Amino acid sequence: MTTPINLFEYESIAPQHLSQMALDYYASGAWDEVTLKDNRTSYEHFKLRPRMLVDVSDRDLSTQILGQSLSMPILIAPMAFQCLAHPEGELATAKAAAQLGTAMVLSTMSTKSLEEVALTSKNCQQESFRNQGGIGEKSLVSHPLWFQLYVHRERALTRTLIERAEAAGFTALCLTVDAPVLGRRERDSRNQFTLPPGMELANLATMADLEIPKTAGESGLFTYFAQQLDPGLTWKDLEWLQSLTTLPVVVKGILRGDDALRAVESGAKAVIVSNHGGRQLDGAIATIEALAEIVAAVGDQAEVLVDGGIRRGTDVLKALALGAKAVLVGRPILWGLAVGGSVGAQHILELLRDELGVAMALSGCAKIEDIDDSLVIRL
Amino acid sequence: MTTPINLFEYESIAPQHLSQMALDYYASGAWDEVTLKDNRTSYEHFKLRPRMLVDVSDRDLSTQILGQSLSMPILIAPMAFQCLAHPEGELATAKAAAQLGTAMVLSTMSTKSLEEVALTSKNCQQESFRNQGGIGEKSLVSHPLWFQLYVHRERALTRTLIERAEAAGFTALCLTVDAPVLGRRERDSRNQFTLPPGMELANLATMADLEIPKTAGESGLFTYFAQQLDPGLTWKDLEWLQSLTTLPVVVKGILRGDDALRAVESGAKAVIVSNHGGRQLDGAIATIEALAEIVAAVGDQAEVLVDGGIRRGTDVLKALALGAKAVLVGRPILWGLAVGGSVGAQHILELLRDELGVAMALSGCAKIEDIDDSLVIRL
Amino acid sequence: MTTPINLFEYESIAPQHLSQMALDYYASGAWDEVTLKDNRTSYEHFKLRPRMLVDVSDRDLSTQILGQSLSMPILIAPMAFQCLAHPEGELATAKAAAQLGTAMVLSTMSTKSLEEVALTSKNCQQESFRNQGGIGEKSLVSHPLWFQLYVHRERALTRTLIERAEAAGFTALCLTVDAPVLGRRERDSRNQFTLPPGMELANLATMADLEIPKTAGESGLFTYFAQQLDPGLTWKDLEWLQSLTTLPVVVKGILRGDDALRAVESGAKAVIVSNHGGRQLDGAIATIEALAEIVAAVGDQAEVLVDGGIRRGTDVLKALALGAKAVLVGRPILWGLAVGGSVGAQHILELLRDELGVAMALSGCAKIEDIDDSLVIRL
Amino acid sequence: MTTPINLFEYESIAPQHLSQMALDYYASGAWDEVTLKDNRTSYEHFKLRPRMLVDVSDRDLSTQILGQSLSMPILIAPMAFQCLAHPEGELATAKAAAQLGTAMVLSTMSTKSLEEVALTSKNCQQESFRNQGGIGEKSLVSHPLWFQLYVHRERALTRTLIERAEAAGFTALCLTVDAPVLGRRERDSRNQFTLPPGMELANLATMADLEIPKTAGESGLFTYFAQQLDPGLTWKDLEWLQSLTTLPVVVKGILRGDDALRAVESGAKAVIVSNHGGRQLDGAIATIEALAEIVAAVGDQAEVLVDGGIRRGTDVLKALALGAKAVLVGRPILWGLAVGGSVGAQHILELLRDELGVAMALSGCAKIEDIDDSLVIRL
């Protein structure tokens, strides 16, 4: 078999490496999957207007998010249950992120504990530091590892998770706000989705004896959310959360300018424009369509990131031209994991990075800051 | 066989339980069925802009229409000949509505008499009252049962129907205004549609010896309308109608702001934005596209409802965001009836209700009044 | 075989009754047939906004075009070579028009002479007059028969044709202005289209010994146009033409407001918005899209008609709502001819008339003048 | 086999005459080939508004570009490696251009040397001059042959190429500015594209011993560009280039008004609106969509040409109506070459010319200057 040369090829090969239940869980969107499709197809409405005869001999894709250095404006989105894709699960993903010098956002619902992930990430970075014949502490690459938070009804759990994440060296908290209840993914209902034997909620199992139930005619995750997670979360809780930590807080799941502004006013350092990969409210606006309004509302008070439907370097370029500081990639990382573990996930990131590099060169952008909003037009 | 988990599954199973003539009668639209398709696809042009971090722990879907309490803003649209779908016909539908605490609009062209339907509805409500250990008359759930009117050339018929509906306890009259002649549904022409032996116009047969004829090369219903119904109905007749009753009158079949205003000025308490499920004037505007203009024209002088193409809770949410007080659902109730009688019809309503509940939670709406027009954008 | 119930069914049956060469000649459009398709699909962009509760008991579809009474606002467009569809050719079409009380526009390129057609039309009208027990000359239905003109390089031909048409009792001249050269219909090129043995240019063969040649790798009609017709025709010639006749002149083939105005200023009494059924300039604007501009430019100085893609009564309604006084129908008449001769062509007109009647009733229009531009909206 | 009658037929036949590697190289676009498709489909958004009753008896398609006379506003775009299509390669193309009296733009990456091409072109023109019984030097048709430039890192190469082109009698230099790196054409990556044995970079091989490498898992041309071509080219270099030559310089690959203006301010005599046939930045705006902005920006300071997706005479007409002075055609020439060598390429040009002639006649344009922007509307 030849190595896939783009993310779509990974997507088409991945099913061979996944159980039907895992594939459905990863691939599906809510209800009719309209938003799932919109996230992708909406990118085609935005056309690039490249600039010519700019010197692009030296290209630099590095950027700073929350003051943390990244080798490129592409992060790994939080995704639950990565051991469904590969035995190493979130550890493999963390290695890929560390190898490439970008950030991984670890899900509360991970199948490897946050401490293991943090350790793997740190070891991997030190190794790559040694391999490069590192000289001093200062030249050590940064350690960008964010922890994604679902707030359980039992608030003590959340408090402890934050303490653990901080202790383990995570550098940001990412609060998901678009899931007061779980979106209905009908493939999961039909499959009565649950975790297979031997897989657990690694951050929660030992701490609170929580597990994904097996529910008749329903996704076990849907039931879990209904029972355990707090549908009463408000902006006040965002302030409460910040009182618990010195880490910067990122709010994920914003689709309106007014909500983005409110997040910033409540102390968020960044917002992620997201519809949860089309898995929560079907019919919600595609993220690339919502982005410009949110960028305009937030101004320079916070950083705006976006996820959903990004499969090509040109998608990243469009998102950045519309004002995003960076993007997050989700499902393709899972396809990479399924096909080749850590190496596969890393290849996904490399492909996107290289495509972005070429796209920037062809648009007259030598560095990230050269990307401006005149590069895109909606037709 | 597993229980269907959404309205589309009911639609795909229903044909196994229906004669071709009944299926065609229910499923078809006028002429090229463009409006039939538009009613559905137009919902995709409207994208949701959900609001986050609102406390949605306690969700309340109840509402008031015409001052009548409903458990949810979803009514059952008037549909003729429900015994074609199930032997219990309109009685089964009435049970479903009563069980769920919402309103059914009974068609003039029903195959069970309005008196039987009213009795069934009342009994069913009392039973569910008793089952809940009811204490006093006051806590009895409301009895929302509307009667849909086609005005026959013979006006005495109409007068008597109104008297009978009022006597039987119906709580509103719903005048259909979009059928001065019947729309051409070509499948019915080809089938030479008529009622099978043993089925009759239960409200009219005994009273006026009327029946659906069998017509060569034409739908018998088309012939019936041409012969019996009054194509000369005007706004004056709406006033005449109101002089006959103390019941509130709802005008069904409005697609323009000026007509809606005229209905209100003529005394209508509510208008239903409807193109008769795409069965009358093919090429007519989709109801969700017409809704905003009508809401703007009517203001707070009357209530606006809408039907046509609603298959998901998110459709209901969009309609309410555009200003509808409630929606009516038609064909899916028939698919439910066909598949499972009263239980099937009830399941249809439950599915929609639950989807609406999830959609509201995911949009930051704890109650119906929280739904505002900033929730949708037309892209 | 059952009788077709709409124009599309005629279209699907017609090929069984036609040679491939004839079918291709009739069905094809120029080059990639984009305009051919646009003519049809553009009607779907216009949505109807029907008006309710108007008394439509008495419906009247009659209208006046050029002061000539027609039973309905639907004329038969000029089409060449109708004997390819049926042995009676243009005579059968004339009968259908006369039976229905509407106008036929006879092509210069007819396979029956204009005199025969005029005679057939007159006889048919007298017969239907007698059948109705006619009393006096005055109640005789009008005799609307228009003659379509292609101007040959040899101008004497045109002069004689006009004299013959006038003598035969034609009531208008219809000058086709969109064919300085013939559009490329590639199916005709491949077929090396020509008339079969025994069929001739009935108006021209005896008069000028003209015939459609057989050309290698090319449509014979294309060659005929290049050799015989005058590509140098200008607005001056329109004035010259009018100096030759007392008949009103209609200009057919206008797609721009300024051209329409110029036609009127040059004396035209009516213009026909037409792209020649998509057979001339492929990529030209669909007629229904061009109509409003032309109506606005012309105002009440002349009448505006439109052809192209009309297959349903609702299409006629839309065209009239956009300001057309009447429409012309082309290909469907040929499908009717092919399937059933004069009776088939007549049925086509009846179907359209009945559909228009129902569409008007459902839109609150009792008569043609009730149709206004608020009935359509472009979405 | 019958002679193809339009460009699409050539496209469908050509694969029979090409290796898979050559076909893929010619046919493919970058990444997902969105821009490749957009270039073509965007023409359908622009509708023609033809003008009637203009005298089009004498049609003249000739025009002047850069003061050089062309028989029609259709040039041959620069394309690499034409020997992949036919053994005579660029020589055959030059003959076709000369026969038809239009300009060919020869690629730097040609498989026949610029000197051979120039000689072939000159001989061919003299021959056609003699065949026409030419009398004096003055009536000799012009010799429009442009040389397309890729600037290598080794600037001496460029300097020498310019000197050689000037010496050989080329009449313009065409600087490609949209290729600081090569676009990713994934079919070429999969094929590990390289030139077959016996084919070489005819302009560069002897001069600098350069060749297209064979690269594992990658297009050899991609590698060549990365290694040899200068990604550091800026507007300053455009001025430097002009200091080396008296030939007019044309800038090819502009998609924005500001870039076009900058090209003109830097001395360019013409700009070509181009996205490299969709082969560089996928997602870039279709050229016909970008054209009007660039025409408006440049005004009468320079000439604007356009390429991409032109397959019909009506496409040429639309481009000219939107302000282009001429168009360039690429791939169809290759299909012509593949099918029939020089004769095939010439037939492609003849088909387009004849279609343009008919389209102009049908639009009321006797000569190129009659084409104005009122002829198109975007719907």
Side-chain angles (χ1 to χ4, degrees):
Chain A
M1 200 205 66
T2 58
T3 308
I5 64 172
N6 61 42
L7 275 57
F8 299 108
E9 292 192 354
Y10 271 101
E11 183 175 3
S12 68
I13 296 166
Q16 303 166 15
H17 301 264
L18 293 165
S19 71
Q20 191 62 40
M21 185 183 278
L23 175 61
D24 283 345
Y25 173 71
Y26 288 157
S28 63
W31 287 317
D32 299 315
E33 306 192 335
V34 172
T35 295
L36 176 67
K37 288 178 209 92
D38 275 0
N39 271 354
R40 178 82 209 110
T41 57
S42 295
Y43 274 95
E44 289 210 8
H45 300 150
F46 294 87
K47 302 300 179 187
L48 290 165
R49 301 174 65 245
R51 199 170 260 131
M52 301 301 156
L53 290 185
V54 176
D55 182 352
V56 292
S57 337
D58 298 313
R59 292 195 294 283
D60 180 2
L61 273 62
S62 70
T63 190
Q64 297 240 335
I65 307 292
L66 302 177
Q68 301 167 22
S69 295
L70 303 181
S71 66
M72 56 177 168
I74 303 169
L75 297 78
I76 298 180
M79 290 168 291
F81 312 142
Q82 297 184 14
C83 285
L84 288 173
H86 190 271
E88 285 189 50
E90 290 83 0
L91 304 185
T93 306
K95 280 184 208 164
Q99 286 292 345
L100 269 290
T102 192
M104 170 193 186
V105 189
L106 181 72
S107 172
T108 290
M109 313 297 275
S110 61
T111 42
K112 296 288 180 186
S113 76
L114 64 92
E115 287 82 3
E116 284 178 284
V117 172
L119 189 63
T120 301
S121 176
K122 183 171 282 180
N123 289 343
C124 179
Q125 288 177 62
Q126 284 172 343
E127 186 185 348
S128 82
F129 173 66
R130 276 193 303 270
N131 289 347
Q132 291 156 28
I135 296 163
E137 186 79 347
K138 280 189 184 168
S139 63
L140 191 66
V141 290
S142 73
H143 187 151
L145 202 53
W146 300 2
F147 186 70
Q148 177 273 343
L149 258 187
Y150 283 122
V151 177
H152 284 67
R153 292 179 189 263
E154 174 52 54
R155 293 292 174 98
L157 269 179
T158 297
R159 192 186 296 261
T160 310
L161 278 171
I162 293 176
E163 286 165 5
R164 285 170 56 194
E166 216 164 327
F170 282 77
T171 57
L173 291 179
C174 173
L175 177 70
T176 297
V177 295
D178 60 7
V181 300
L182 198 73
R184 291 265 181 189
R185 302 139 197 188
E186 298 191 340
R187 301 196 226 173
D188 290 348
S189 301
R190 289 191 197 98
N191 292 338
Q192 305 188 65
F193 173 81
T194 192
L195 289 183
M199 221 171 283
E200 60 172 16
L201 294 174
N203 294 320
L204 301 161
T206 54
M207 185 172 146
D209 201 24
L210 291 171
E211 60 178 8
I212 304 297
K214 184 148 176 67
T215 320
E218 186 49 83
S219 159
L221 189 60
F222 185 87
T223 308
Y224 181 92
F225 263 63
Q227 291 170 349
Q228 302 297 337
L229 297 194
D230 187 351
L233 214 65
T234 67
W235 297 105
K236 286 228 165 98
D237 297 300
L238 176 55
E239 291 170 22
W240 163 75
L241 209 75
Q242 290 177 103
S243 75
L244 304 179
T245 181
T246 57
L247 293 180
V249 172
V250 177
V251 171
K252 175 169 178 286
I254 295 295
L255 289 171
R256 305 166 53 114
D258 52 4
D259 269 7
L261 198 56
R262 189 135 180 205
V264 172
E265 289 166 355
S266 303
K269 295 293 179 284
V271 296
I272 302 179
V273 179
S274 174
N275 51 35
H276 215 115
R279 295 161 76 82
Q280 289 291 104
L281 179 65
D282 195 37
I285 190 168
T287 50
I288 195 69
E289 295 280 10
L291 178 58
E293 175 193 328
I294 290 163
V295 166
V298 164
D300 55 7
Q301 303 177 70
E303 291 172 340
V304 177
L305 290 82
V306 65
D307 70 12
I310 289 163
R311 299 293 179 269
R312 282 288 187 188
T314 46
D315 299 332
V316 183
L317 183 63
K318 289 174 184 176
L320 269 55
L322 288 165
K325 283 281 293 181
V327 305
L328 298 93
V329 179
R331 291 181 183 89
I333 296 294
L334 298 172
W335 312 143
L337 275 183
V339 173
S342 181
V343 170
Q346 186 175 332
H347 193 212
I348 293 288
L349 291 171
E350 287 164 347
L351 285 169
L352 268 184
R353 179 197 61 196
D354 292 353
E355 288 180 4
L356 176 60
V358 170
M360 284 172 60
L362 294 176
S363 302
C365 302
K367 52 189 188 305
I368 297 299
E369 304 88 69
D370 293 341
I371 301 171
D372 67 38
D373 65 3
S374 80
L375 282 184
V376 284
I377 186 170
R378 192 181 191 281
L379 275 197
Chain B
M1 201 206 66
T2 58
T3 307
I5 62 171
N6 61 42
L7 274 57
F8 298 109
E9 291 192 357
Y10 271 101
E11 184 176 2
S12 68
I13 296 166
Q16 303 166 16
H17 301 265
L18 293 166
S19 70
Q20 191 61 41
M21 185 183 279
L23 174 62
D24 283 345
Y25 173 72
Y26 288 157
S28 64
W31 287 318
D32 300 315
E33 306 192 334
V34 171
T35 295
L36 176 66
K37 288 178 209 94
D38 276 0
N39 270 355
R40 177 84 209 109
T41 57
S42 294
Y43 274 95
E44 289 209 8
H45 301 150
F46 294 87
K47 302 300 179 188
L48 290 165
R49 302 174 65 244
R51 200 171 258 129
M52 302 300 157
L53 290 185
V54 176
D55 181 350
V56 291
S57 337
D58 298 312
R59 291 196 294 281
D60 179 2
L61 273 62
S62 69
T63 191
Q64 296 241 334
I65 307 291
L66 302 177
Q68 301 167 21
S69 295
L70 303 180
S71 67
M72 57 177 166
I74 303 170
L75 296 80
I76 298 181
M79 291 169 290
F81 313 143
Q82 298 183 16
C83 285
L84 288 173
H86 189 271
E88 286 189 50
E90 290 83 0
L91 304 185
T93 306
K95 280 184 209 164
Q99 286 293 344
L100 269 290
T102 191
M104 170 193 186
V105 190
L106 180 72
S107 173
T108 290
M109 311 299 274
S110 60
T111 42
K112 296 288 181 185
S113 76
L114 64 91
E115 287 83 2
E116 284 178 284
V117 171
L119 189 63
T120 301
S121 177
K122 185 171 281 180
N123 289 343
C124 180
Q125 288 176 62
Q126 285 172 343
E127 187 186 348
S128 83
F129 173 66
R130 276 193 303 271
N131 290 347
Q132 290 156 29
I135 296 164
E137 185 79 347
K138 279 188 184 168
S139 63
L140 191 67
V141 290
S142 74
H143 188 152
L145 201 55
W146 299 4
F147 186 69
Q148 177 272 342
L149 259 186
Y150 282 122
V151 177
H152 284 67
R153 292 179 188 264
E154 174 52 55
R155 293 292 174 99
L157 270 180
T158 297
R159 193 186 297 258
T160 310
L161 278 172
I162 293 176
E163 287 166 4
R164 286 169 57 193
E166 217 164 324
F170 282 77
T171 57
L173 291 180
C174 173
L175 178 69
T176 297
V177 296
D178 60 7
V181 300
L182 198 72
R184 292 266 181 188
R185 302 140 196 188
E186 299 190 338
R187 300 196 226 173
D188 290 347
S189 301
R190 288 190 197 99
N191 293 337
Q192 305 188 66
F193 173 80
T194 193
L195 289 182
M199 221 171 282
E200 60 172 16
L201 295 173
N203 294 320
L204 301 162
T206 53
M207 184 172 146
D209 202 24
L210 290 171
E211 59 178 11
I212 304 298
K214 182 146 177 66
T215 320
E218 186 49 83
S219 159
L221 189 61
F222 186 86
T223 309
Y224 181 92
F225 263 64
Q227 291 170 351
Q228 303 296 338
L229 297 194
D230 187 350
L233 214 66
T234 67
W235 296 104
K236 286 227 166 99
D237 297 301
L238 176 56
E239 292 171 20
W240 164 75
L241 209 75
Q242 290 177 104
S243 74
L244 304 178
T245 181
T246 58
L247 294 179
V249 173
V250 177
V251 171
K252 175 170 177 287
I254 295 295
L255 289 171
R256 305 166 53 113
D258 51 4
D259 269 7
L261 199 55
R262 188 133 181 207
V264 173
E265 289 167 356
S266 304
K269 296 292 179 282
V271 297
I272 302 178
V273 179
S274 175
N275 51 36
H276 214 116
R279 294 160 77 81
Q280 288 292 106
L281 179 66
D282 195 38
I285 190 168
T287 50
I288 194 70
E289 295 281 10
L291 178 57
E293 175 194 328
I294 289 164
V295 166
V298 164
D300 54 8
Q301 304 177 68
E303 292 173 340
V304 177
L305 291 81
V306 65
D307 70 12
I310 290 163
R311 299 294 179 269
R312 282 287 187 188
T314 46
D315 300 331
V316 183
L317 183 62
K318 288 174 185 177
L320 268 58
L322 288 165
K325 283 281 293 181
V327 305
L328 298 93
V329 179
R331 291 181 184 89
I333 296 294
L334 298 172
W335 311 143
L337 275 183
V339 172
S342 180
V343 170
Q346 186 175 331
H347 193 212
I348 293 288
L349 290 171
E350 287 164 347
L351 285 169
L352 268 184
R353 179 196 62 195
D354 292 353
E355 287 179 6
L356 175 60
V358 170
M360 285 172 60
L362 294 176
S363 302
C365 301
K367 52 188 188 306
I368 298 297
E369 303 88 70
D370 293 342
I371 302 171
D372 67 37
D373 66 3
S374 80
L375 282 184
V376 282
I377 187 170
R378 193 181 190 281
L379 274 197
Chain C
M1 201 205 65
T2 57
T3 309
I5 63 172
N6 60 43
L7 275 56
F8 298 107
E9 291 192 356
Y10 272 101
E11 184 175 3
S12 69
I13 296 165
Q16 303 165 15
H17 302 264
L18 293 165
S19 71
Q20 191 63 40
M21 186 183 279
L23 175 62
D24 282 346
Y25 174 71
Y26 289 157
S28 65
W31 287 318
D32 299 316
E33 305 192 336
V34 171
T35 295
L36 176 66
K37 287 178 209 94
D38 276 0
N39 271 354
R40 178 84 209 108
T41 57
S42 295
Y43 274 95
E44 289 210 8
H45 300 149
F46 294 88
K47 302 299 181 188
L48 289 165
R49 302 174 65 245
R51 199 172 259 129
M52 300 302 156
L53 290 185
V54 176
D55 182 351
V56 292
S57 338
D58 298 312
R59 291 195 295 281
D60 180 1
L61 274 61
S62 70
T63 191
Q64 296 240 335
I65 306 292
L66 302 177
Q68 302 167 21
S69 295
L70 302 181
S71 66
M72 57 177 166
I74 303 170
L75 296 80
I76 299 180
M79 292 169 290
F81 313 142
Q82 298 184 15
C83 285
L84 288 173
H86 189 271
E88 285 190 50
E90 291 83 1
L91 304 185
T93 306
K95 281 184 209 164
Q99 286 293 344
L100 269 290
T102 191
M104 170 193 186
V105 190
L106 181 71
S107 172
T108 290
M109 312 299 273
S110 62
T111 43
K112 296 288 180 185
S113 76
L114 63 92
E115 286 83 3
E116 283 178 285
V117 172
L119 189 63
T120 301
S121 177
K122 184 171 282 181
N123 289 343
C124 180
Q125 288 177 60
Q126 285 172 342
E127 187 185 346
S128 82
F129 172 65
R130 277 193 302 271
N131 289 348
Q132 291 157 26
I135 296 164
E137 185 79 347
K138 280 190 183 167
S139 63
L140 190 67
V141 291
S142 74
H143 188 151
L145 202 54
W146 299 2
F147 186 70
Q148 178 271 342
L149 259 187
Y150 282 122
V151 178
H152 284 68
R153 293 179 187 264
E154 174 51 54
R155 293 292 173 99
L157 269 180
T158 296
R159 193 186 296 259
T160 309
L161 278 173
I162 293 176
E163 287 165 5
R164 286 171 55 193
E166 216 164 327
F170 281 77
T171 57
L173 291 180
C174 173
L175 178 70
T176 297
V177 297
D178 60 7
V181 300
L182 198 72
R184 293 265 181 188
R185 301 138 196 190
E186 299 190 339
R187 301 196 225 173
D188 291 347
S189 301
R190 289 191 196 97
N191 293 337
Q192 305 187 63
F193 174 79
T194 192
L195 289 183
M199 222 172 280
E200 60 172 17
L201 294 173
N203 294 320
L204 301 163
T206 54
M207 186 172 143
D209 202 25
L210 291 170
E211 59 178 10
I212 304 298
K214 182 147 178 65
T215 320
E218 186 50 83
S219 159
L221 189 61
F222 186 87
T223 308
Y224 181 91
F225 263 64
Q227 291 171 350
Q228 303 296 338
L229 297 194
D230 188 351
L233 214 65
T234 68
W235 296 105
K236 286 228 166 99
D237 296 301
L238 175 55
E239 291 170 21
W240 162 76
L241 208 76
Q242 291 177 102
S243 73
L244 303 180
T245 182
T246 57
L247 293 180
V249 172
V250 177
V251 171
K252 175 169 179 284
I254 295 295
L255 289 171
R256 305 167 52 113
D258 52 4
D259 270 6
L261 198 56
R262 187 131 182 207
V264 173
E265 289 167 356
S266 305
K269 296 292 178 283
V271 297
I272 302 178
V273 179
S274 174
N275 50 36
H276 215 116
R279 294 161 77 82
Q280 288 291 105
L281 179 66
D282 194 37
I285 189 168
T287 50
I288 195 70
E289 295 280 11
L291 178 58
E293 175 193 329
I294 289 164
V295 166
V298 165
D300 54 8
Q301 303 177 68
E303 293 172 340
V304 177
L305 291 82
V306 65
D307 70 12
I310 289 162
R311 298 293 179 269
R312 283 286 187 188
T314 46
D315 300 332
V316 183
L317 183 62
K318 288 173 184 177
L320 268 58
L322 288 165
K325 284 280 295 181
V327 305
L328 298 94
V329 178
R331 290 181 184 88
I333 297 294
L334 298 172
W335 311 142
L337 274 184
V339 171
S342 181
V343 170
Q346 186 176 329
H347 193 213
I348 293 288
L349 291 171
E350 287 164 347
L351 285 169
L352 267 183
R353 179 197 61 194
D354 293 352
E355 288 179 4
L356 176 59
V358 171
M360 284 173 60
L362 294 176
S363 302
C365 301
K367 52 188 189 305
I368 298 299
E369 303 87 72
D370 294 342
I371 302 170
D372 67 36
D373 66 2
S374 80
L375 282 183
V376 283
I377 187 170
R378 191 181 191 281
L379 275 197
Chain D
M1 199 205 67
T2 58
T3 309
I5 63 172
N6 61 42
L7 275 57
F8 298 108
E9 291 191 355
Y10 271 101
E11 184 175 2
S12 68
I13 296 166
Q16 304 166 15
H17 301 264
L18 293 165
S19 71
Q20 191 62 41
M21 185 184 278
L23 175 62
D24 283 346
Y25 173 72
Y26 288 157
S28 64
W31 288 317
D32 300 315
E33 305 192 336
V34 171
T35 295
L36 176 66
K37 288 177 208 94
D38 276 0
N39 271 353
R40 177 83 209 110
T41 57
S42 295
Y43 274 95
E44 289 210 8
H45 300 150
F46 294 88
K47 303 300 180 188
L48 289 166
R49 301 175 64 245
R51 199 172 258 128
M52 301 302 157
L53 289 185
V54 175
D55 182 352
V56 292
S57 336
D58 298 312
R59 291 195 296 281
D60 180 1
L61 273 63
S62 70
T63 191
Q64 297 241 334
I65 306 291
L66 302 178
Q68 300 167 22
S69 295
L70 303 181
S71 67
M72 56 177 167
I74 304 169
L75 294 79
I76 298 179
M79 291 168 290
F81 313 142
Q82 298 185 14
C83 285
L84 288 173
H86 189 271
E88 285 189 51
E90 290 82 1
L91 303 185
T93 306
K95 281 185 209 165
Q99 287 292 346
L100 269 290
T102 192
M104 171 194 186
V105 189
L106 181 72
S107 172
T108 291
M109 313 298 273
S110 61
T111 43
K112 295 289 179 184
S113 77
L114 64 91
E115 286 83 3
E116 283 177 285
V117 172
L119 189 63
T120 300
S121 177
K122 185 171 282 179
N123 289 342
C124 180
Q125 288 176 62
Q126 284 173 343
E127 186 183 349
S128 82
F129 172 66
R130 275 193 303 272
N131 288 348
Q132 291 157 26
I135 296 165
E137 186 79 347
K138 280 189 182 168
S139 64
L140 191 67
V141 291
S142 74
H143 189 150
L145 202 54
W146 300 3
F147 186 70
Q148 178 272 342
L149 258 186
Y150 282 123
V151 177
H152 283 68
R153 292 179 188 264
E154 174 51 54
R155 292 292 173 99
L157 269 179
T158 296
R159 192 186 298 259
T160 309
L161 277 171
I162 293 176
E163 286 165 5
R164 286 169 56 192
E166 216 166 327
F170 282 77
T171 58
L173 291 180
C174 173
L175 178 70
T176 297
V177 297
D178 59 7
V181 300
L182 199 72
R184 292 267 182 187
R185 301 139 197 189
E186 299 190 340
R187 301 196 226 172
D188 290 348
S189 301
R190 289 190 196 98
N191 293 337
Q192 305 187 69
F193 174 79
T194 191
L195 289 182
M199 221 171 282
E200 60 172 15
L201 294 173
N203 294 320
L204 301 161
T206 54
M207 185 170 143
D209 201 24
L210 290 170
E211 59 179 10
I212 305 298
K214 183 148 177 67
T215 321
E218 187 48 84
S219 159
L221 189 60
F222 186 87
T223 309
Y224 180 93
F225 263 63
Q227 291 171 349
Q228 302 296 338
L229 297 194
D230 188 351
L233 214 64
T234 67
W235 295 104
K236 286 229 166 97
D237 297 300
L238 176 55
E239 292 170 21
W240 163 75
L241 208 75
Q242 290 178 102
S243 74
L244 304 179
T245 181
T246 58
L247 294 179
V249 172
V250 177
V251 171
K252 175 170 178 284
I254 296 295
L255 289 171
R256 304 166 54 114
D258 52 4
D259 270 7
L261 197 57
R262 188 133 181 206
V264 173
E265 288 167 355
S266 305
K269 295 292 179 282
V271 297
I272 302 178
V273 179
S274 174
N275 50 36
H276 215 116
R279 294 161 77 81
Q280 289 291 106
L281 179 65
D282 195 37
I285 190 168
T287 50
I288 195 69
E289 295 280 10
L291 179 57
E293 175 194 329
I294 290 163
V295 166
V298 165
D300 55 7
Q301 303 178 71
E303 292 172 340
V304 177
L305 291 82
V306 65
D307 70 11
I310 289 163
R311 299 293 179 269
R312 283 287 188 189
T314 47
D315 299 332
V316 183
L317 183 62
K318 288 174 185 177
L320 268 57
L322 288 166
K325 284 280 293 180
V327 305
L328 297 94
V329 179
R331 291 182 184 88
I333 296 293
L334 299 172
W335 311 142
L337 275 183
V339 172
S342 181
V343 170
Q346 187 176 328
H347 193 213
I348 293 288
L349 290 171
E350 287 165 346
L351 284 169
L352 267 184
R353 180 198 60 194
D354 293 352
E355 288 180 3
L356 175 60
V358 170
M360 285 173 60
L362 294 176
S363 302
C365 302
K367 52 189 188 306
I368 297 298
E369 303 89 69
D370 294 341
I371 301 169
D372 67 36
D373 65 3
S374 80
L375 282 184
V376 283
I377 187 170
R378 192 181 190 280
L379 275 196

